[in-house]
Amino acid sequence: MNTPVKLLSVGALTLDTILRVDTLPTHQGKFIAPDGVQIASGMASSAACVARRLGAEVSLWASTGDDAVGDQLVARIEAEGVDCSFVRRVSGARSALSAILVDTHGERIIVPFYDKLAQADPKALPTQDLTPFDAVLVDVRWPGAAALALEAARAIGRPAILDADTASRDVLERLFPLASHIVASEPAAVILCGEERSPQKACEALARRTDAFVAVTGGAAGSWWFDRSVGSVRHVAAPRIKAVDTLAAGDVFHGAFAVGLAEAMPVEQSLRFASAAAALKCLRFGGRLGAPDRAETLAMVAAHWPAD
């Protein structure tokens, strides 16, 4: 990779308070956390930071309040090397917050808060020219912005990638037809297809509804993608690891996948690259702070999928 690819990431920017607990609470009470961290995060923001670590030049389009938390969020994402000049600061709005518990098995509970004023639909893109970007990645947390970005990217032939995660069915149905590449979490696939379908069957069902690339992720079970050249679903196994913290693994996956597409990797290679990055992240506590760099990710790819 001689010249870094350029990526636009669109969506959530939150202040995450992450606390480690022995087990996730099942009743009310007080619980002492042996570890904790507070970071700037959110799906699109975490993906942006990951993509930067993997060698891309990244701009973030997000919306936050004009409060002290917003100042902190922008400063922390900029410290990762991500361009935040497109971040919208909304007067009188409160910046997004998220409280997260992570247990010793790496599983988590996430409780986010988004101010409706901060998340109001934008009237236009932050720039009229998206041609400098090699790919555009959006999440489901700021649907109005996501729709504008997907439509604009697809209009100029850039990969328009949707990180389809848990959201209302209305939001998912709105964004689904706008993307050129859809990578859905298993919960999102359930919302769109129903609980009776396996990830493989959901992938096939979603692919029948669009001409876009479709994949469904299943965490440690790997990911499934629809290969239109043969008309069937294929599977990419995830590297086997003992997870410490799965928080932001999906964001890492999507950020790495977007980098792979922007670099014109074949889709299966992009999925392997993304799977390797997500697996490495799960070995470390702290959400997106555990994301790997490019050398680590390529080493994991080589170890898990040795060349034929």
Side-chain angles (χ1 to χ4, degrees):
M1 185 179 64
N2 297 321
T3 302
V5 294
K6 295 185 177 181
L7 179 68
L8 176 64
S9 190
V10 181
L13 174 57
T14 66
L15 182 63
D16 286 2
T17 299
I18 309 169
L19 300 173
R20 185 195 293 244
V21 293
D22 292 332
T23 58
L24 296 177
T26 58
H27 55 84
Q28 67 176 4
K30 293 183 179 180
F31 306 88
I32 304 301
D35 198 1
V37 65
Q38 195 170 63
I39 64 172
S41 190
M43 295 167 64
S45 300
S46 293
C49 294
V50 170
R52 184 71 190 95
R53 290 190 184 188
L54 294 175
E57 293 182 3
V58 190
S59 294
L60 174 67
W61 185 27
S63 184
T64 190
D66 62 349
D67 51 10
V69 172
D71 295 340
Q72 183 182 164
L73 290 173
V74 171
R76 290 190 178 189
I77 298 299
E78 286 181 335
E80 292 281 350
V82 174
D83 172 27
C84 289
S85 60
F86 291 158
V87 174
R88 184 179 74 170
R89 306 297 299 274
V90 180
S91 177
R94 290 181 290 170
S95 297
L97 305 170
S98 189
I100 303 166
L101 301 180
V102 179
D103 71 11
T104 53
H105 301 290
E107 296 304 318
R108 72 270 197 241
I109 292 175
I110 305 173
V111 184
F113 162 75
Y114 294 96
D115 186 344
K116 292 182 179 179
L117 180 58
Q119 298 306 112
D121 288 354
K123 295 181 179 178
L125 292 165
T127 174
Q128 293 302 311
D129 184 12
L130 293 187
T131 56
F133 297 103
D134 298 290
V136 173
L137 170 66
V138 311
D139 68 29
V140 293
R141 298 291 174 252
W142 194 16
L148 288 175
L150 289 174
E151 289 177 323
R154 201 160 186 182
I156 59 172
R158 298 292 190 271
I161 309 158
L162 172 61
D163 176 354
D165 199 6
T166 304
S168 70
R169 186 181 183 93
D170 287 345
V171 167
L172 292 170
E173 294 285 7
R174 176 185 180 186
L175 299 179
F176 186 89
L178 304 179
S180 66
H181 295 74
I182 301 160
V183 181
S185 67
E186 197 169 347
V190 166
I191 293 169
L192 288 168
C193 298
E195 294 184 7
E196 72 281 0
R197 295 182 188 268
S198 66
Q200 179 178 351
K201 293 296 185 182
C203 182
E204 183 173 8
L206 292 174
R208 301 299 184 194
R209 295 173 49 184
T210 177
D211 62 353
F213 169 85
V214 173
V216 174
T217 59
S223 55
W224 292 261
W225 63 285
F226 192 80
D227 186 347
R228 297 192 184 278
S229 69
V230 295
S232 63
V233 174
R234 297 177 62 182
H235 181 245
V236 174
R240 298 187 65 177
I241 52 97
K242 181 174 175 53
V244 170
D245 176 9
T246 60
L247 180 64
D251 307 333
V252 172
F253 188 102
H254 287 87
F257 180 72
V259 171
L261 285 187
E263 293 180 3
M265 291 183 191
V267 289
E268 186 165 15
Q269 185 179 345
S270 294
L271 289 169
R272 290 176 176 180
F273 186 67
S275 295
L280 286 165
K281 185 260 107 27
C282 290
L283 295 173
R284 302 158 183 164
F285 173 72
R288 70 158 180 85
L289 296 182
D293 61 22
R294 190 178 183 90
E296 291 176 287
T297 305
L298 291 175
M300 174 67 89
V301 170
H304 192 68
W305 296 280
D308 295 335

